[in-house]
Amino acid sequence: MVKINGKEAADVCGMTVSQYLSANYYNPKHIVVELNEEILPKTEYDSTAIADGDVVEILSFMGGG
């Protein structure tokens, strides 16, 4: 099972990070992906497949004032 943002995610194994982000309407310009406690470079989103046992955190930038 894969965990994404602390929740179990079904049917994501084998998807690339880019495919997952696109399917869930994330804008890669406004987020950072952490895969198994390491920041994943944006250049690797297309080539990195999500595998069973992975822990993914998607961090969004928020502006404020």
Side-chain angles (χ1 to χ4, degrees), residues 17 21 26-33 40 42 45 57-61:
V17 172
L21 295 175
Y26 284 101
N27 183 340
K29 292 180 182 181
H30 300 144
I31 58 149
V32 170
V33 175
L40 186 66
K42 291 184 187 299
Y45 288 6
E57 294 292 330
I58 302 170
L59 310 169
S60 298
F61 298 108

Side-chain angles (χ1 to χ4, degrees), residues 2 4 12-17 20-21 35 48-52 54 56:
V2 175
I4 300 179
V12 298
C13 288
M15 292 178 81
T16 65
V17 172
Y20 178 82
L21 295 175
L35 177 64
T48 302
I50 299 170
D52 189 38
D54 281 347
V56 180

Side-chain angles (χ1 to χ4, degrees), residues 3 33-39 49 51-57:
K3 277 197 169 184
V33 175
E34 183 182 278
L35 177 64
N36 300 323
E37 299 184 359
E38 292 191 20
I39 299 294
D52 189 38
D54 281 347
V55 176
V56 180
E57 294 292 330

